[in-house]
Amino acid sequence: MASFARNGKKIVAIGRNYAAHAKELNNAVPKEPFFFLKPTSSYLSPGGRLEIPQGILAHHEVELGVVIGKGGRDITQENAESHIAGYTLAVDMTARNLQDKVRKAGLPWSAAKGFDTFTPVGQFLPKETVKDAHDLRVSLKINGVTKQDGTTADMIFRIPRLIEHVSSIMSLEEGDVILTGTPSGVGPVVPGDKVECALTEADGKALLSLDFDAILREGGYRFQE
């Protein structure tokens, strides 16, 4: 499972799973989980460089990731734990101006989430090393200033419910990652920024860190209004 970023087939990203985040984007709180998919080609290893396409307003969303160790379909909440191999720390980067543009037009927004390097991801954390996945802190700093600092206790839908819901629609496979949503505080990352993320237990014990630098992408897609 340490090689999930190479071997996993999909990234399942849960939307609006923290009420405060939904509110800050003027979105309704969902009555059941909903998700979108990100390509595994968007993974960025720790210490890598986030490439922001020209004209794109990129927003950070730090999240706890659940790494699937045993695939399955129609997994019940009661059996969900047996399908979890461990956890990771990730940032779901969003091309916010592109997302806003296509949403207004009623079009899909896969491109806004799927750019290369738009899913920075940390190392694999075996589940046995985590006391309680619903009592962790996820945080993100930009140039040393804290932008996001939240607790997984505030998730609207807990991890077993997420696994049940996703697997009732599409089979989960070994190495897949579920991004469980982001707390409030999302905002821009611009070329030149240094981003530092941390996953800690409630008592402050460090579990994972994830650092990367942002640069302007040369070539490729260019956003136009």
Side-chain angles (χ1 to χ4, degrees):
M1 282 298 98
S3 61
F4 69 88
R6 292 197 305 271
N7 299 334
K9 294 183 178 180
K10 56 185 174 291
I11 305 168
V12 182
I14 306 297
R16 306 178 196 173
N17 200 27
Y18 289 74
H21 170 59
K23 182 179 180 180
E24 72 179 350
L25 295 183
N26 295 315
N27 292 322
V29 175
K31 295 182 179 180
E32 70 174 10
F34 86 93
F35 62 89
F36 52 90
L37 299 178
K38 301 190 71 168
T40 55
S41 55
S42 69
Y43 276 134
L44 176 69
S45 299
R49 297 192 298 177
L50 170 71
E51 298 179 348
I52 301 176
Q54 297 182 55
I56 285 295
L57 173 61
H59 275 197
H60 58 79
E61 302 181 18
V62 68
E63 314 199 10
L64 174 70
V66 178
V67 182
I68 299 299
K70 181 176 70 173
R73 182 185 185 208
D74 295 336
I75 301 167
T76 65
Q77 293 187 54
E78 292 73 22
N79 292 329
E81 180 70 20
S82 67
H83 292 262
I84 298 173
Y87 304 93
T88 190
L89 180 62
V91 180
D92 170 24
M93 293 299 304
T94 304
R96 191 68 72 195
N97 51 352
L98 175 58
Q99 184 188 47
D100 289 344
K101 178 182 177 179
V102 297
R103 284 176 65 178
K104 289 177 182 177
L107 299 172
W109 35 278
S110 296
K113 295 283 191 175
F115 286 106
D116 287 352
T117 75
F118 261 41
T119 313
V121 66
Q123 300 296 325
F124 172 71
L125 189 66
K127 69 178 180 182
E128 293 80 11
T129 63
V130 177
K131 294 178 182 178
D132 183 357
H134 298 102
D135 191 20
L136 301 175
R137 298 204 71 85
V138 291
S139 62
L140 179 146
K141 295 180 179 180
I142 297 180
N143 303 324
V145 179
T146 299
K147 300 295 184 177
Q148 290 185 272
D149 185 9
T151 172
T152 58
D154 290 338
M155 286 184 188
I156 298 170
F157 303 106
R158 293 199 158 209
I159 293 167
R161 175 74 174 100
L162 300 179
I163 291 174
E164 178 183 70
H165 180 73
V166 174
S167 69
S168 74
I169 296 170
M170 59 182 67
S171 296
L172 287 169
E173 301 169 280
E174 182 179 331
D176 287 351
V177 170
I178 299 176
L179 302 183
T180 57
T182 191
S184 62
V186 303
V189 177
V190 301
D193 280 347
K194 181 176 182 59
V195 183
E196 301 170 281
C197 309
L199 177 69
T200 63
E201 292 187 341
D203 61 5
K205 178 185 176 182
L207 295 176
L208 281 179
S209 62
L210 170 61
D211 301 343
F212 56 91
D213 296 322
I215 63 171
L216 182 66
R217 178 175 174 173
E218 298 295 335
Y221 179 85
R222 180 191 294 266
F223 178 77
Q224 296 180 344
E225 292 288 352

